[in-house]
């Protein structure tokens, strides 16, 4: 056989004898792989521990992929071995997972050197170590590393999950800032301090690990353990605060924690990592410097959002399939004549049915997908508006813009191009931006409003009365129209005090030269009451619900004489 010649004239028996001899004096397992002939030779010891069928395996890559290597890790092995085979590297070194004969996951560290035999074959000589046998320490904190956590957790989750009291993932709230502002050394000191705080708090038998970056994991599976997770977290937090104080606030930091206390049965280490990470992110999202318990319902909600995002992305790439723009009439006062419509996006899918914009718009915003979808709405609305202006010449359509479009796309360019391509004047579109903290604090929004107005577009400040309503920026922003939110209107209908506020606001908006559109009028009594406050436009179910374009035409335009 050729690979024997390649191994400097040694026979297969001699070759195998060499690794068998080495094996006798070591805990490592030795192997030879003929990279060109795809043959894997292992020792008898190794054969006892791992699921090979013989000491010599032909079709080695397939057997590794299908039987020996943990499937998630095979791609990285394939890549590394590929580089060795292509002659791009001489050393193979990888930490990854195998299965043992009982189908249990085992972390291994695999090393090897490529030797070229006489016939030109590449032979990989090496050894495999079981990592769980060694406590690999992180050299900053002295704690065991993530890989060891994976190994230990895998074992305990498999053999005695009911013994686990809790797993707590701890993260430093502002670690990136410390590294950037105070330097990496200060960052390392913080990691050491925190490790000390954790070790001083937990029972010495409890396992503590340093995970990647600024995170730690406490795995408490000690039967006589007396401290609850919350108590442990509180103590760590107090120790951290004390240590910050002792160092005279030279480096200020706080810590958050994500905790899993039950439901370990049937989970593997990867899953526990994701779930505690989710809980830690929840703690940080709710303001940091606190502990959050893993919340199944919130996690399911999160997974659903990810799923919706995936489905929407698929639909967007399929020419906006299942996205549709609906239109809701806007009437003028006091004649209640149809003067325009608001374009409102709809999305449905087989799995979740009709999803509310309140759910899917934020997902589009977070993922940046609102940029292509926003353009789609803009173009649809412009084309529809062109058609409807044939019936009502000064008809306009309101299009909602997201602050993400303002920050991350060339909005001005897009709207310009849109009206030019479609062939409508700028005043056929009214662009709506939601009133929120952004408008007040960011000059870009004011700038955008100014430029849109210079180009003769109408601009509306949407949802007034919901968030940070501030009279000053009403004045600064000079919107063509202020849209008073439905929740504010509903309060005014019920409550005289709020009604008075709305009348004053309307007066003020008028004195600034802008007009007012009142949203959410559903009933006649509401209309009669709110008309006394003298809004200029009304939009609400009373005059029409959002509907598809053809339905809108049928309902509102077909019987309208051309004006
Ligand atoms: P919005 O811009 O304030 O739109 C008005 C919302 O109030 C619409 O909800 C409309 O259906 C609802 N509405 C109008 N009149 C009444 C009424 O009399 N009673 C009740 N109960 N509701 C009424 P919708 O369509 O669910 O949209 C919710 C929000 O989603 C919109 O609020 C807007 O902020 C956002 N949105 C919708 N389409 C788009 C879009 O194309 N782009 C962006 N960026 N946001 C959009
Ligand atoms: Mg709107
Ligand atoms: Mg609104």
């Amino acid at each position: 056989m050729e690979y024997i010649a390649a191994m400097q004239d040694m026979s297969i028996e001699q070759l195998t004898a060499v690794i068998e001899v080495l094996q006798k004096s070591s805990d490592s397992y030795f192997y030879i792989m003929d990279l060109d002939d795809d043959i894997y030779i292992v020792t008898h010891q190794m054969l006892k521990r791992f699921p090979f069928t013989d000491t010599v395996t032909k079709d080695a890559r397939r057997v590794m992929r299908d039987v020996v290597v943990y499937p998630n890790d095979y791609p990285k092995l394939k890549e590394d071995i590929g580089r060795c085979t292509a002659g791009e590297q001489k050393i193979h070194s990888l930490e990854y997972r195998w299965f043992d004969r009982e189908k249990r996951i085992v972390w291994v560290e695999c090393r090897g050197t490529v030797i070229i035999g006489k016939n030109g074959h590449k032979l990989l000589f090496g050894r495999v170590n079981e990592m769980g046998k060694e406590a690999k320490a992180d050299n900053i904190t002295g704690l065991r590393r993530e890989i060891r956590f994976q190994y230990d957790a895998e074992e305990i989750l498999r053999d005695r999950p009911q013994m686990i009291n809790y797993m707590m993932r701890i993260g430093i709230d502002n670690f990136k800032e410390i590294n950037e502002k105070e330097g990496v050394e200060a960052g390392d000191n913080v990691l050491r301090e925190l490790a000390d705080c954790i070790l001083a708090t937990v029972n010495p038998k409890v396992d503590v690990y340093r995970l990647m970056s600024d995170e730690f994991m406490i795995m408490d599976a000690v039967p006589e353990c007396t401290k609850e997770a919350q108590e442990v977290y509180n103590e760590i937090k107090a120790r951290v605060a004390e240590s910050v104080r002792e160092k005279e606030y030279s480096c200020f930091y706080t810590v958050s924690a994500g905790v899993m206390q039950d439901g370990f049965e049937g989970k593997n280490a990867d899953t526990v990592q994701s779930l505690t990470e989710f809980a830690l992110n929840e703690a940080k999202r709710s303001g940091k410097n606190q502990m959050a318990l893993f919340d199944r319902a919130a996690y399911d909600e999160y997974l659903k959002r990810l799923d919706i995002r995936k489905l929407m992305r698929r639909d967007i790439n399929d020419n906006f399939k299942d996205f549709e723009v609906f239109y809701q009439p806007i009437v003028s006062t006091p004649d209640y004549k149809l003067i325009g419509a608001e374009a409102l996006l709809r999305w449905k899918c087989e799995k979740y049915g009709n999803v509310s914009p309140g759910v899917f718009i934020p997902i589009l915003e977070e993922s940046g997908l609102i940029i292509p979808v926003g353009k789609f709405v803009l173009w649809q609305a412009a084309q529809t508006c062109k058609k409807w202006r044939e019936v009502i010449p000064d008809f306009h359509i309101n299009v909602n813009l997201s602050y993400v479009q303002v920050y991350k796309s060339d909005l001005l360019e897009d709207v310009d191009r849109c009206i030019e391509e479609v062939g409508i004047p700028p005043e056929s579109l009214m662009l709506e931006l939601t009133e929120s903290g952004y408008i007040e604090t960011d000059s870009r929004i004011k700038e955008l409003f100014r430029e849109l107005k210079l180009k003769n577009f109408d601009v509306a400040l949407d949802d007034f009365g919901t968030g940070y309503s501030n009279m000053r920026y009403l004045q600064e922003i000079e919107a063509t129209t202020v849209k008073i939110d439905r929740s504010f209107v509903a309060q005014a209908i019920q409550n005289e005090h709020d009604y008075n506020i709305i009348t004053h606001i309307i007066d003020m908006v008028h004195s600034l030269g802008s007009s007012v559109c009142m949203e959410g009028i559903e009933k006649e009594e509401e209309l009669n009451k709110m008309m006394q406050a003298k809004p200029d436009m009304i939009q609400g179910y009373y005059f029409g619900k959002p509907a598809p374009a053809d339905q809108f035409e049928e309902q509102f335009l077909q019987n309208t004489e051309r004006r």
Side-chain angles (χ1 to χ4, degrees):
M1 280 194 241
E2 276 181 8
Y3 64 87
I4 302 170
M7 195 42 223
Q8 296 166 334
D9 298 330
M10 273 196 199
S11 68
I12 175 99
E13 289 76 21
Q14 284 174 312
L15 204 59
T16 311
V18 170
I19 56 173
E20 289 290 356
V21 169
L22 286 170
Q23 183 71 78
K24 286 200 166 56
S25 56
S26 171
D27 278 344
S28 302
Y29 301 101
F30 290 89
Y31 69 89
I32 303 161
M33 182 174 184
D34 184 323
L35 296 171
D36 296 323
D37 266 358
D38 202 23
I39 293 174
Y40 203 74
I41 306 172
V42 302
T43 59
H44 282 89
Q45 197 72 16
M46 194 162 171
L47 179 65
K48 264 196 234 160
R49 178 86 179 100
F50 297 106
F52 297 98
T53 40
D54 199 347
T55 52
V56 178
T57 305
K58 292 179 182 161
D59 205 3
R61 287 176 178 81
R62 187 191 57 76
V63 173
M64 295 302 277
R65 186 195 65 202
D66 294 348
V67 184
V68 182
V69 177
Y70 184 67
N72 288 5
D73 294 353
Y74 184 73
K76 63 180 178 186
L77 172 68
K78 186 180 168 194
E79 195 191 323
D80 203 73
I81 292 291
R83 275 199 295 270
C84 293
T85 313
E88 291 164 18
Q89 69 181 28
K90 289 228 166 342
I91 302 292
H92 164 66
S93 171
L94 207 61
E95 292 177 353
Y96 64 118
R97 287 165 287 186
W98 281 18
F99 288 115
D100 67 8
R101 283 203 162 267
E102 272 75 53
K103 262 288 193 191
R104 290 183 304 210
I105 294 171
V106 180
W107 274 93
V108 301
E109 178 195 38
C110 185
R111 293 260 163 86
T113 309
V114 181
I115 294 170
I116 309 288
K118 271 186 185 163
N119 65 349
H121 275 205
K122 295 185 195 75
L123 302 177
L124 184 64
F125 265 80
R127 60 168 176 77
V128 170
N129 282 346
E130 277 187 62
M131 297 182 65
K133 289 185 177 168
E134 303 164 22
K136 289 210 135 199
D138 160 44
N139 46 22
I140 295 174
T141 61
L143 294 175
R144 280 166 292 179
R145 290 190 302 153
E146 179 156 4
I147 219 146
R148 177 64 197 259
F149 166 73
Q150 285 276 2
Y151 188 90
D152 292 350
E154 210 68 74
E155 191 178 82
I156 211 159
L157 286 163
R158 184 184 60 225
D159 299 339
R160 45 202 162 96
Q162 67 289 348
M163 298 280 292
I164 304 171
N165 297 317
Y166 63 84
M167 297 227 202
M168 182 185 295
R169 192 182 190 99
I170 297 183
I172 300 168
D173 290 328
N174 50 338
F175 192 63
K176 204 166 152 243
E177 200 183 299
I178 296 172
N179 269 337
E180 279 167 11
K181 289 200 184 141
E182 315 286 342
V184 176
E185 209 167 300
D188 287 353
N189 282 335
V190 166
L191 289 170
R192 265 179 227 119
E193 268 168 42
L194 177 54
D196 290 345
C197 292
I198 296 173
L199 291 173
T201 304
V202 299
N203 180 317
K205 286 186 191 160
V206 167
D207 294 311
V208 180
Y209 307 85
R210 156 110 195 266
L211 307 181
M212 81 309 178
S213 173
D214 63 330
E215 292 181 5
F216 294 79
M217 183 72 94
I218 307 176
M219 179 164 76
D220 182 340
V222 179
E224 70 271 23
C225 194
T226 48
K227 280 186 197 164
E228 296 280 330
Q230 186 69 56
E231 199 183 337
V232 168
Y233 171 73
N234 292 348
E235 259 185 58
I236 293 171
K237 188 168 143 176
R239 284 202 160 89
V240 164
E242 179 56 31
S243 141
V244 167
R245 211 168 18 245
E246 264 174 21
K247 304 234 161 44
E248 295 174 333
Y249 303 98
S250 58
C251 194
F252 184 84
Y253 68 98
T254 52
V255 295
S256 293
V259 173
M260 232 182 121
Q261 277 180 322
D262 42 36
F264 293 106
E265 284 80 6
K267 306 248 176 351
N268 64 22
D270 283 348
T271 309
V272 168
Q273 287 256 33
S274 320
L275 302 190
T276 52
E277 193 177 352
F278 175 78
L280 175 58
N281 286 338
E282 287 285 285
K284 290 189 177 186
R285 249 200 301 276
S286 339
K288 302 179 177 171
N289 198 24
Q290 57 189 287
M291 182 188 110
L293 283 179
F294 173 71
D295 176 347
R296 185 82 240 176
Y299 187 64
D300 288 343
E301 193 55 39
Y302 161 78
L303 292 182
K304 184 177 166 187
R305 289 166 66 84
L306 285 186
D307 196 30
I308 289 179
R309 182 160 88 187
K310 197 179 82 193
L311 294 169
M312 286 200 291
R313 182 174 286 129
R314 193 195 58 191
D315 282 352
I316 289 166
N317 288 314
D318 193 1
N319 204 15
F320 299 95
K321 178 176 162 277
D322 291 335
F323 281 96
E324 190 177 359
V325 180
F326 275 32
Y327 299 90
Q328 184 180 26
I330 297 174
V331 301
S332 57
T333 60
D335 51 9
Y336 306 141
K337 253 185 162 166
L338 180 71
I339 54 163
E342 177 167 7
L344 293 160
L345 185 62
R346 295 291 179 263
W347 179 71
K348 63 172 187 306
C349 69
E350 234 167 67
K351 190 162 172 190
Y352 301 108
N354 290 319
V355 180
S356 143
V359 172
F360 75 75
I361 298 278
I363 300 176
L364 290 173
E365 289 182 332
E366 279 158 26
S367 58
L369 292 171
I370 192 71
I371 290 171
V373 174
K375 272 194 204 169
F376 164 78
V377 175
L378 186 65
W379 254 261
Q380 292 278 316
Q383 281 158 349
T384 307
C385 193
K386 184 177 184 178
K387 195 170 163 206
W388 294 351
R389 279 170 84 91
E390 286 169 15
V391 185
I392 303 174
D394 54 359
F395 194 85
H396 65 87
I397 290 188
N398 291 29
V399 177
N400 291 287
L401 298 178
S402 155
Y403 66 93
V404 177
Q405 288 169 279
V406 179
Y407 291 151
K408 298 193 180 157
S409 69
D410 294 319
L411 203 52
L412 280 174
E413 220 178 284
D414 287 342
V415 286
D416 267 346
R417 206 155 43 85
C418 174
I419 58 162
E420 200 188 307
E421 277 177 19
V422 175
I424 47 170
E427 58 273 18
S428 6
L429 293 182
M430 181 179 283
L431 302 163
E432 296 191 3
L433 254 172
T434 296
E435 182 237 14
S436 71
Y438 302 98
I439 295 188
E440 204 172 353
T441 51
D442 201 311
S443 56
R444 252 181 301 185
I445 306 268
K446 283 179 206 154
E447 188 61 16
L448 177 79
F449 267 51
R450 212 176 54 80
E451 294 195 47
L452 285 169
K453 282 183 62 173
L454 276 177
K455 289 173 184 281
N456 280 332
F457 289 100
D458 285 335
V459 285
L461 184 60
D462 201 0
D463 300 340
F464 189 80
T466 47
Y468 301 75
S469 308
N470 176 329
M471 296 300 160
R472 244 219 38 226
Y473 77 75
L474 250 190
Q475 192 175 349
E476 283 176 6
I477 212 148
E478 298 178 53
T480 329
T481 299
V482 174
K483 297 187 79 175
I484 300 186
D485 190 68
R486 164 170 90 76
S487 56
F488 202 4
V489 173
Q491 278 173 26
I493 288 164
Q494 310 231 321
N495 171 320
E496 210 50 32
H497 176 70
D498 286 330
Y499 175 78
N500 288 334
I501 294 179
I502 283 213
T503 31
H504 288 306
I505 288 175
I506 293 179
D507 286 346
M508 219 188 101
V509 173
H510 284 156
S511 71
L512 293 170
S514 306
S515 57
V516 170
C517 177
M518 222 170 235
E519 290 189 290
I521 302 287
E522 295 185 359
K523 296 188 196 103
E524 192 166 1
E525 326 68 281
E526 294 172 2
L527 178 69
N528 293 339
K529 167 133 197 182
M530 294 320 285
M531 277 301 287
Q532 293 166 35
K534 298 199 169 51
D536 308 276
M537 284 164 269
I538 299 209
Q539 178 182 347
Y541 289 177
Y542 181 73
F543 292 103
K545 286 191 174 178
D550 50 358
Q551 213 171 301
F552 187 99
E553 282 170 18
E554 212 172 286
Q555 202 177 343
F556 301 106
L557 298 174
Q558 272 172 11
N559 303 322
T560 306
E561 282 171 32
R562 282 171 193 264
R563 287 190 203 155

